[in-house]
């Protein structure tokens, strides 16, 4: 309401991503500066835990019905799965590609992750934390940023190598549009 900083939480070097967990008053951070996942208690405004992760933790997505956070480790070519009730890494999924951005689709109840080096999107089933598919993204090179529109079953990918915004249909896993971006 006042448009001013009220408090600063220290000790989270090089944050590249964060995810707020409704109801638990927690935030998870990707701390590239220490290669850890930070767990912040918003009631005490303090870091309460640091979890191990692969190289260059980056984007984070929350699959609320499964009470899990998915943190990509871009250079580690992996995704760390964190149980938000216990604040611990329960699984690490490895890929043959740098990972980019994760997003949760609330309708299909799937996590999608961009695979930057192979120009694909991986689909993860949060009930088993297994990769159930990998889909090529035609006309998109070095896909990194991603947003999911669950209602329309679409994913919007920022493609750094081809300088476009690519739209894929999540039900068919096919590329349906490209929009040029300024270089």
């Amino acid at each position: 309401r006042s448009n001013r900083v009220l408090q600063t939480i220290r000790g989270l070097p090089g944050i590249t991503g964060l995810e707020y967990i409704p109801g638990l008053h927690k935030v998870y951070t990707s701390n590239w500066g220490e290669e850890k996942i930070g767990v912040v208690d918003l009631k005490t405004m303090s870091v309460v835990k640091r979890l191990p992760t692969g190289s260059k933790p980056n984007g984070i997505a929350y699959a609320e019905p499964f009470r899990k956070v998915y943190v990509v480790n871009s250079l580690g070519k992996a995704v760390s799965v964190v149980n938000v009730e216990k604040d611990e890494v329960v699984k690490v999924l490895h890929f043959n590609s740098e990972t980019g951005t994760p997003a949760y689709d609330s309708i299909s109840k799937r996590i999608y992750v961009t695979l930057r080096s192979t120009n694909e999107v991986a689909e993860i089933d949060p009930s088993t934390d297994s990769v159930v598919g990998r889909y090529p993204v035609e006309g998109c090179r070095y896909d990194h940023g991603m947003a999911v529109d669950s209602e329309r079953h679409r994913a919007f990918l920022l493609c750094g190598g081809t300088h476009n915004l690519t739209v894929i249909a999540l039900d068919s896993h096919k590329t349906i549009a490209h929009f040029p971006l300024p270089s």
Side-chain angles (χ1 to χ4, degrees):
R1 290 180 235 163
S2 65
N3 290 324
R4 62 186 179 96
V5 175
L6 299 177
Q7 189 167 354
T8 301
I9 301 168
R10 302 212 184 277
L12 298 165
I15 293 176
T16 56
L18 64 86
E19 187 73 23
Y20 171 67
I21 309 303
L24 295 180
H25 306 289
K26 287 195 259 189
V27 169
Y28 288 83
T29 62
S30 299
N31 305 337
W32 184 15
E34 65 180 353
E35 298 199 339
K36 301 273 186 205
I37 299 165
V39 182
V40 177
D41 181 333
L42 294 177
K43 291 178 186 170
T44 63
M45 297 299 282
S46 63
V47 180
V48 294
K49 207 165 193 182
R50 296 173 194 283
L51 305 173
T53 188
S55 182
K56 195 182 178 200
N58 205 339
I60 307 175
Y62 180 47
E64 186 174 15
F66 303 95
R67 312 297 278 174
K68 296 176 189 173
V69 165
Y70 293 78
V71 181
V72 298
N73 309 300
S74 294
L75 299 179
K77 299 179 179 182
V79 174
S80 298
V81 183
V82 179
N83 176 310
V84 299
E85 299 293 339
K86 298 178 182 180
D87 291 332
E88 57 187 42
V89 175
V90 293
K91 191 166 189 175
V92 177
L93 302 168
H94 297 276
F95 296 91
N96 67 338
S97 171
E98 287 184 13
T99 51
T101 304
Y104 179 65
D105 179 6
S106 62
I107 302 294
S108 68
K109 295 188 175 18
R110 295 286 201 245
I111 289 283
Y112 292 92
V113 177
T114 59
L115 301 178
R116 297 164 25 163
S117 308
T118 58
N119 307 313
E120 297 174 294
V121 172
E123 179 180 0
I124 300 168
D125 180 349
S127 68
T128 61
D129 292 323
S130 58
V131 178
V132 295
R134 289 175 64 144
Y135 313 107
V137 182
E138 294 178 23
C140 175
R141 203 167 20 88
Y142 206 67
D143 49 337
H144 181 66
M146 177 173 52
V148 167
D149 178 350
S150 295
E151 186 179 317
R152 291 172 187 79
H153 305 283
R154 301 285 187 260
F156 301 85
L157 282 70
L158 177 61
C159 307
T162 48
H163 301 288
N164 62 350
L165 176 72
T166 296
V167 183
I168 61 172
L170 293 175
D171 47 1
S172 68
H173 311 116
K174 301 290 182 198
T175 301
I176 57 173
H178 298 286
F179 299 98
L181 297 173
S183 20

